[in-house]
Amino acid sequence: MHFLTIDDLTTDELAGVVDDAAALKRAQADGMPHEALPGRSLAMLFEKPSTRTRVSFEVGMTQLGGHGVFLGDDDIQLGRGEPVADTARALGRYVDAVMARVFDHGDLEEIAAHADVPVVNGLTDDAHPCQALADLLTLREEVGDSGTVAWVGDGNNVAASFTIGAAMMGYDVNVATPEGYGLDDSVIERAEEHGDVTVTTDPEAATADAEVVYTDVWVSMGQEDEREQRLDAFEGFQVDADLLGDAAFMHCLPANRGEEVTADVIDGEQSVVWQQAENRLHAQKALLVELVD
């Protein structure tokens, strides 16, 4: 089984991974060994740079008793013109799973078609399901198994995976994006198959009854040429203390203080972003055990 989008898991499988992530987090806090994947190897293929994705997967595999192999553009033939399918076929003969962080979701799908081992989406331009797993663990810790959550800002890959995943887990989801920067209709349809999703262009309406408010950068990697246009479009979508109200604050990081969020919010007492970042480790370990064990 591959994990390319959050809804590659069934609702029961998703809940099970979140349950297992919580158990692995408790085990680590109690100092209990949990080497569930002894001797197993994970190829970590990176076209896009990352702090949290690399460290959480590499450390996670070590804690599970296995090994993570970092493969950047300068380390493999893929960056020198080798077909994606050939790279995938070779990796599948060496390792027990592949995590790929790439730009084009189609490249990820081609890796999955040819690798002959489980393939995990570490991020594409379309989806970031591993972040969503960590988000869902954080939601459970903060508000329990139900409640209303709000996404404010760009309808990007993180927003897509979070909206679908939160709906699958039974949360009501409010999404506020500027005109022209919303979620694809297909994403909304997939989310609505599982729960209630409200889409608006009004951040105040989206956050009015929310227990958690989530945002991300307005200018993602590869969008630098659109920076000024995007800053103008997202005026009024900054999460400040007034918009946040009594809700908890989430952000997938890295963050630009003074743009999508004010410093007093992300660094304040209602912020759970560091808990959320830590949960990447526990959620991904649970996922790897589900896929590889």
Side-chain angles (χ1 to χ4, degrees):
M1 181 174 73
H2 302 303
F3 185 66
L4 310 187
T5 64
I6 191 70
D7 46 350
D8 280 343
L9 298 176
T10 67
T11 300
D12 288 343
E13 288 169 341
L14 180 58
V17 169
V18 176
D19 288 343
D20 291 345
L24 287 168
K25 186 173 184 177
R26 290 192 298 270
Q28 181 170 320
D30 293 340
M32 297 174 58
H34 45 277
E35 297 183 352
L37 299 177
R40 304 297 184 93
S41 295
L42 172 72
M44 305 186 303
L45 184 62
F46 282 81
E47 281 186 347
K48 287 187 173 186
S50 173
T51 301
R52 282 153 290 276
T53 298
R54 177 178 178 177
V55 175
S56 56
F57 270 108
E58 192 163 340
V59 171
M61 279 300 291
T62 300
Q63 292 179 351
L64 292 171
H67 177 62
V69 182
F70 174 80
L71 300 168
D73 272 352
D74 294 334
D75 302 313
I76 57 175
Q77 295 299 322
L78 187 62
R80 297 173 176 82
E82 181 175 56
V84 172
D86 289 0
T87 297
R89 289 186 182 102
L91 289 176
R93 299 298 181 100
Y94 301 138
V95 300
D96 300 287
V98 175
M99 185 282 296
R101 183 179 173 92
V102 298
F103 286 92
D104 189 342
H105 196 82
D107 286 344
L108 180 74
E109 293 175 331
E110 188 167 4
I111 293 170
H114 296 283
D116 203 29
V117 294
V119 173
V120 175
N121 182 355
L123 178 143
T124 67
D125 286 346
D126 289 357
H128 198 353
C130 287
Q131 179 64 57
L133 289 178
D135 299 339
L136 295 174
L137 177 57
T138 306
L139 288 181
R140 175 179 290 185
E141 292 171 339
E142 289 301 307
V143 302
D145 293 328
S146 64
T148 300
V149 298
W151 176 274
V152 175
D154 193 14
N156 60 14
N157 49 1
V158 178
S161 295
F162 175 73
T163 299
I164 297 169
M168 290 177 69
M169 291 291 287
Y171 299 97
D172 295 334
V173 186
N174 299 337
V175 179
T177 58
E179 291 284 356
Y181 295 91
L183 293 170
D184 287 345
D185 290 343
S186 62
V187 169
I188 297 169
E189 290 170 3
R190 286 157 61 196
E192 288 179 335
E193 291 177 4
H194 301 281
D196 293 330
V197 180
T198 301
V199 178
T200 180
T201 57
D202 184 347
E204 293 184 359
T207 59
D209 60 348
E211 295 167 83
V212 173
V213 175
Y214 194 168
T215 194
D216 191 9
V217 296
W218 294 340
V219 185
S220 297
M221 283 182 285
Q223 298 173 337
E224 289 80 7
D225 290 346
E226 304 173 28
R227 178 173 177 77
E228 293 307 317
Q229 173 186 336
R230 283 177 164 270
L231 292 182
D232 288 342
F234 284 89
E235 185 176 355
F237 281 78
Q238 183 184 75
V239 180
D240 58 17
D242 289 338
L243 189 66
L244 183 65
D246 295 328
F249 175 73
M250 292 172 58
H251 194 302
C252 60
L253 301 175
N256 293 317
R257 291 166 174 80
E259 290 187 9
E260 74 275 4
V261 60
T262 57
D264 62 313
V265 165
I266 193 169
D267 297 319
E269 293 183 356
Q270 293 164 239
S271 173
V272 296
V273 298
W274 311 116
Q275 172 184 338
Q276 186 184 358
E278 177 190 342
N279 284 342
R280 289 288 303 274
L281 173 67
H282 310 299
Q284 288 161 191
K285 286 193 293 186
L287 175 68
L288 290 169
V289 172
E290 171 75 16
L291 297 179
V292 176
D293 190 18

